Amino acid sequence: AQSVAQPEDQVNVAEGNPLTVKCTYSVSGNPYLFWYVQYPNRGLQFLLKYITGDNLVKGSYGFEAEFNKSQTSFHLKKPSALVSDSALYFCAEQTGANNLFFGTGTRLTVIP
Amino acid sequence: NAGVTQTPKFQVLKTGQSMTLQCAQDMNHEYMSWYRQDPGMGLRLIHYSVGAGITDQGEVPNGYNVSRSTTEDFPLRLLSAAPSQTSVYFCASSQRGSTDTQYFGPGTRLTVL
């Protein structure tokens, strides 16, 4: 069964510093991995996805994620954090039936 | 395009009441789904549909019914509301391919007293 883990409930980073939000997955084979962001009282917004190909995926708002098959990880990164990046971030794995299995979420706070 | 729309935005029910959460999309997406979001648990799949007339259960289907009579609409029915169904409910849609991105509605916050 699919399983996605986000080991950190909360990540704090100073504005202008690089940020990383961690995600690991458990399925064997070729996973389809997604990152979504949720701002307060809003729905989920798509950031980026890994399907196949280049292990470094670039997405919206300057975010990128690195797929690492040997470590079964798909960490979200941004070179320079903005206060407006403060939100709840979800990693998810999509099955062949289009169903998403989500991690428990990581709350990112960017400190001015 | 309005994308994925959900109504109502907020709802308070008493235990035992029934209601329907509405979801509509105008992107001609074949796949639609319902998730619930609870603190510390991420989002969990309730029901999904791969096309009009086809529905299936997700991870947490008990207490919920769905139907898909048109491509555009995918309502979620609570048959007899329970406090455990207090949650935020999100509808999503996508093309049918397993690599296609899902687009989420703004959510319905439901409280069952």
Side-chain angles (χ1 to χ4, degrees):
Chain A
Q2 283 87 356
S3 175
V4 173
Q6 293 181 246
E8 299 162 319
D9 293 334
Q10 174 81 40
V11 170
N12 297 325
V13 63
E15 186 177 21
N17 282 3
L19 70 87
T20 299
V21 182
K22 296 179 180 178
C23 173
T24 60
Y25 65 93
S26 67
V27 76
S28 59
N30 299 317
Y32 302 144
L33 299 168
F34 292 72
W35 276 102
Y36 286 86
V37 60
Q38 185 179 33
Y39 297 101
N41 300 313
R42 302 285 296 277
L44 274 70
Q45 296 180 29
F46 168 73
L47 279 179
L48 52 81
K49 64 182 177 183
Y50 173 82
I51 304 301
T52 187
D54 194 347
N55 288 344
L56 185 63
V57 180
K58 294 189 182 296
S60 306
Y61 313 121
F63 284 93
E64 58 188 28
E66 185 172 8
F67 173 70
N68 187 317
K69 192 167 186 177
S70 63
Q71 297 184 2
T72 63
S73 66
F74 189 55
H75 300 333
L76 182 70
K77 300 180 180 182
K78 187 173 182 181
S80 179
L82 300 173
V83 173
S84 57
D85 293 330
S86 299
L88 187 58
Y89 290 81
F90 288 100
C91 181
E93 185 171 1
Q94 187 152 295
T95 71
N98 272 38
N99 299 330
L100 283 167
F101 287 86
F102 284 88
T104 52
T106 298
R107 185 164 301 281
L108 172 68
T109 300
V110 180
I111 303 165
Chain B
N1 287 349
V4 180
T5 58
Q6 292 183 237
T7 56
K9 290 187 177 181
F10 302 95
Q11 183 70 50
V12 179
L13 293 178
K14 294 181 179 178
T15 297
Q17 288 184 316
S18 63
M19 78 160 295
T20 299
L21 279 63
Q22 301 292 343
C23 174
Q25 52 91 11
D26 61 358
M27 298 174 281
N28 201 31
H29 285 166
E30 293 184 71
Y31 177 90
M32 296 185 73
S33 56
W34 278 100
Y35 293 85
R36 59 177 289 172
Q37 181 180 20
D38 301 294
M41 300 185 73
L43 282 79
R44 292 178 293 168
L45 181 66
I46 304 172
H47 285 284
Y48 65 99
S49 168
V50 298
I54 306 169
T55 64
D56 207 344
Q57 296 181 352
E59 184 182 357
V60 289
N62 292 343
Y64 308 95
N65 272 0
V66 292
S67 60
R68 184 94 179 270
S69 56
T70 67
T71 298
E72 294 78 19
D73 301 298
F74 190 45
L76 178 72
R77 297 181 185 85
L78 280 70
L79 308 174
S80 178
S84 61
Q85 294 179 304
T86 293
S87 187
V88 182
Y89 292 84
F90 290 100
C91 179
S93 75
S94 72
Q95 298 292 348
R96 191 168 173 179
S98 58
T99 62
D100 288 311
T101 300
Q102 294 195 36
Y103 296 91
F104 284 79
T108 295
R109 185 174 294 274
L110 175 68
T111 301
V112 183
L113 303 175

